[in-house]
Each structure stands twice: as C-alpha cells, then as structure tokens.
Amino acid sequence: MISTAPRAVDHGATVVGAFTLLLFGFAQGREIQRVSVDLFVVTVQVVFLEAISSMAVFTGFVAITGLLLVREVWTSRDTIEPVTDGPRLTAIVPVYRDHKVMDESVESLCESTYENLEIVVVAEPNDEATLKRARELANANERVECLINGNPGSKAGAINYAVRETDAEYIAVFDADERVTPEFLSRGMGALLEDADVFQGRRIPRPTGVIETVAYCERIVFHASYKIVELSGFANCRSSSTVLTREAFERVDGYDDVLTEDLDFAHACYREGLTVEQARQCTNTMEAPHTLRDLWGQRKRWRVGQIEVLHATLIELLRGQLGRRGIISIGRMCSSLLGCLFTLALTSKLLLLFILDVESAFLLPAAILVGTIALVAWRDTRDGRIDGLSWTVVLAPLLYPAFGILTLKSLLGYGLSWDGTWYEVEKTGS
C-alpha cells in the first residue's frame, strides 16, 4: 500500500504543476507576435496574440493526423492478401481473473478462417475460476489447449512461457476480452509470409454506453496522434491483435515483465529494426471500461508504464547500451509525454481566446476532431465492429486537457508514490 504522506505530496504537486502550466500558457498566450509581408510598394504588418498561432498549429495537427488515420482505416483490406492455410500458427491468450470474458477471444478465434491454428489459453495456477473455464473451452473445441503458466505473475511471463512450450514458427497474441474477426489471422499470416516480421491490427473499445463511448473516442485520438511518429518509421506493435514470427520474438527476447509490456515491445522492435506491418483497417474489439474510475485507472496505468519504460531506456543510454535507434526511441517517448503536458498550457490559451470572443479557436479543431471520430466510427459501424456512439462523443475535445492532467499525475506519481502496483479494470463480459 502507498503511505498517506507520499500520496498527499503527489496530489498537492499535481495541483501546483497543473496551475503552473495553465499560468505559463496564459502568460505566453498574451504575447504579441508580428508578421511583416512586403507587397511591392507597401509593407503590411499583421499583429496577433501568440495564443492564436498556437491554436492554429494545434488545429493543423488535429486535421493532418485525423486525415491520415481516416485514410488508413478506410484503406481496403484487400491490399493484404489473406492466407487460409499454411504453417502452423499458435494464438496465445493469457488470462487472469478473466472467466467472465475469455469466451470472447477463444470463441472468435475458433471461427478463424486460418486453418492450421492452435489456440493456447495460458491461465495462472492460483486462478481456479479461470482455469475451470479454460479447461471447459479446451474440452469443447479441438483447436483449444489450456496451459498453466509455469512463470506466473504477469502477462509477459504468460506469453513468454507459452512461446517456449510451442514449436510453432508463427505466433499471435490476444487479450481475453478481444473479439477477433474471422479473417484477421489469415491477413496477418499473409503479411508475415510476405516478409513482415510483425503484423499489428487495430483494437478498439466497444462503445456500448456513455463511458464506453468516451473510451472509444480516446483511442481514436491516440491512434491519430501515432500517425505523426509513424512517418519516421516507428510502429506501435503491441501484445494484442498482434501476429509475429518466432524469429522476431527471439530477436527482442520476448516480452519484458514491466507494467506496459506492449509499449516496451514496440520500442524493442524499433530498436532491433524489425519490419512492422501496421494495419488499422483490420480491426478487432475489446471490452471498454464501464466507469470513469476504471477508465482513469486503466489509462493512468498505461501512462505510468510508459514512464517506467522511458526510465529503463534512459538507464540503458547512460550505460552506453543504445545506438541511434535507441536515442530516437527515447525522443519518441519524451515527445509523447511533453505533448500531453503541452495540452494544459494550450487550454489556458484557449480560455484567453474565449475571453476575447474568438470562439472559432475552439470550434474549428473541435469540429475536425468530432468529424474524424464520426468518419472512423462510420467505417467501424459499416464493418459490424460497433453499433454506434453515445452522445458523449461531443465531449471528445475535453480529452486533450485530460491527457495533460493524467500525464502530470503519472509523472509525479511515478517519482513520488508508485510502489509497483497496478490498477485492474473490472471486466463483466457485457
């Protein structure tokens, strides 16, 4: 348990830090900027607040990243040739306290169009309810095998153990609550047999209610932001909706036992120079958090995990263990954290423009963001991945300042009060 004193310092530091960033943004936004334009015989000087130029840059960022995401999501899946039969593929589903939801992944994987498939459910030895359900599923389908984790205690350990226990040259990894489309593995294998090392699909929360829609919108905002860094060659491969070769797995020494093993894996793949086929037009779904507490707790866990990975990578740098790609990897993580903190300063600049009756500074990027979400959701609805969105989609612009507070809280918490524990979201199977 975290003691009261560090926690109080953590909360107090978050308030002070947020206020400082807001104050900084407000002061910076009031600065006067001038641009001179020479028009032959006259020179025109345009005078405006720094807040306007900041919002213009932000609006451009939202528009460009949103357009890139929409383009990828709407790309035809036929660009990836599916393979329905070929080398043996082992799909690994690590489970822990997932007896209510694991049917989603196992049963959907059983419907896969890829024929030479075995499904390995890896359960923890002390989780009787999940073990019982895993054995029932294994008895009901010849494709399914129940494996007791010989390296218990973490998702990474479960995946690594399952890989050691199988001799398949091709591996796929899914979460217990994932609903996997029948053709997903066929397309993943098609990409790997065309010389990709890793195939990464898109995974979205099922927006079945008010909070669940916020979670869906948050993932779209993040997927859009990834598009900028992906232009540099970095790809976000994960530990879910992921298909990879055994060779790729061994080159990065599998998954590390950290809070966000998937993020650590993505950076390890980049540093190793692996070829990652990013395919967000191939979409699976997962259960979304059902309460604000769960949504905040899960996202904070992911953010603290990112800071943990950055911390470990910086230590490697100080030891002289990183090359050029390692330094770029650090830059990628730092830019992500700083970008989220920037949204707090941007919020106060936006408030300044509101005071000055410049409502378009908010309305334009908000309209672009909601439009991006609508276009992606249209595709997901048309493909049968989701049934529609709740009215809370209009709250999507508030996600940006929320990212800032979450990042600040995570940074301070990691340094002041984090004791290695992690937040577990309640999964109901609904």
Side-chain angles (χ1 to χ4, degrees), residues 250-324:
E250 291 176 348
R251 281 176 62 182
V252 298
D253 294 325
Y255 288 90
D256 287 341
D257 191 1
V258 293
L259 194 59
T260 49
E261 76 295 321
D262 51 356
L263 180 66
D264 178 81
F265 180 74
H267 284 274
C269 288
Y270 176 74
R271 292 196 296 270
E272 189 62 29
L274 299 181
T275 302
V276 179
E277 175 89 23
Q278 187 75 250
R280 292 196 176 91
Q281 69 271 40
C282 299
T283 304
N284 298 320
T285 65
M286 62 180 174
E287 184 173 340
H290 302 295
T291 66
L292 278 176
R293 177 183 172 82
D294 274 358
L295 179 60
W296 176 268
Q298 184 184 64
R299 271 44 178 184
K300 185 185 176 187
R301 184 184 80 204
W302 292 350
R303 188 59 84 186
V304 170
Q306 181 182 16
I307 298 164
E308 181 188 22
V309 173
L310 174 59
H311 183 197
T313 311
L314 286 171
I315 291 174
E316 290 182 44
L317 176 65
L318 293 174
R319 291 174 177 171
Q321 298 173 342
L322 294 183
R324 180 183 63 86

Side-chain angles (χ1 to χ4, degrees), residues 185-422:
L185 288 175
S186 294
R187 296 194 186 278
M189 285 299 292
L192 296 189
L193 294 175
E194 286 292 327
D195 292 332
D197 296 309
V198 182
F199 175 82
Q200 182 61 56
R202 182 170 68 111
R203 191 180 65 143
I204 55 172
R206 293 185 283 274
T208 54
V210 172
I211 303 300
E212 295 85 348
T213 293
V214 175
Y216 175 86
C217 295
E218 184 265 351
R219 284 295 86 194
I220 291 180
V221 171
F222 256 98
H223 290 163
S225 69
Y226 293 158
K227 296 305 297 179
I228 290 294
V229 296
E230 287 171 7
L231 296 175
S232 67
F234 183 90
N236 286 278
C237 47
R238 298 297 187 184
S239 59
S240 54
S241 292
T242 309
V243 192
L244 66 155
T245 65
R246 176 179 288 273
E247 180 184 359
F249 182 88
E250 291 176 348
R251 281 176 62 182
V252 298
D253 294 325
Y255 288 90
D256 287 341
D257 191 1
V258 293
L259 194 59
T260 49
E261 76 295 321
D262 51 356
L263 180 66
D264 178 81
F265 180 74
H267 284 274
C269 288
Y270 176 74
R271 292 196 296 270
E272 189 62 29
L274 299 181
T275 302
V276 179
E277 175 89 23
Q278 187 75 250
R280 292 196 176 91
Q281 69 271 40
C282 299
T283 304
N284 298 320
T285 65
M286 62 180 174
E287 184 173 340
H290 302 295
T291 66
L292 278 176
R293 177 183 172 82
D294 274 358
L295 179 60
W296 176 268
Q298 184 184 64
R299 271 44 178 184
K300 185 185 176 187
R301 184 184 80 204
W302 292 350
R303 188 59 84 186
V304 170
Q306 181 182 16
I307 298 164
E308 181 188 22
V309 173
L310 174 59
H311 183 197
T313 311
L314 286 171
I315 291 174
E316 290 182 44
L317 176 65
L318 293 174
R319 291 174 177 171
Q321 298 173 342
L322 294 183
R324 180 183 63 86
R325 280 181 170 262
I327 295 172
I328 295 174
S329 180
I330 289 174
R332 158 73 182 94
M333 287 184 273
C334 288
S335 64
S336 173
L337 294 171
L338 292 174
C340 288
L341 292 176
F342 167 75
T343 59
L344 280 177
L346 194 67
T347 299
S348 57
K349 295 178 184 183
L350 180 61
L351 291 174
L352 173 63
L353 294 176
F354 260 131
I355 294 172
L356 299 174
D357 294 328
V358 188
E359 292 88 353
S360 59
F362 167 78
L363 294 176
L364 184 56
I368 293 172
L369 175 61
V370 173
T372 297
I373 293 170
L375 288 171
V376 174
W378 180 17
R379 173 71 174 194
D380 290 335
T381 303
R382 200 180 78 161
D383 289 344
R385 307 291 182 266
I386 66 174
D387 294 325
L389 301 178
S390 165
W391 63 268
T392 46
V393 66
V394 300
L395 301 178
L398 298 179
L399 288 168
Y400 286 106
F403 290 156
I405 295 172
L406 178 69
T407 300
L408 181 63
K409 178 80 172 167
S410 301
L411 280 165
L412 294 169
Y414 181 81
L416 297 173
S417 62
W418 188 54
D419 61 356
T421 57
W422 52 278

Side-chain angles (χ1 to χ4, degrees), residues 173-188:
V173 185
F174 299 94
D175 280 343
D177 60 341
E178 277 191 75
R179 190 177 297 162
V180 186
T181 57
E183 73 279 1
F184 182 82
L185 288 175
S186 294
R187 296 194 186 278

Side-chain angles (χ1 to χ4, degrees), residues 81-102:
E81 189 68 29
V83 174
T84 57
D85 195 16
R88 185 154 62 92
L89 169 64
T90 298
I92 299 170
V93 184
V95 292
Y96 178 63
R97 296 180 181 175
D98 289 319
H99 57 282
K100 294 181 180 179
V101 299
M102 58 191 294

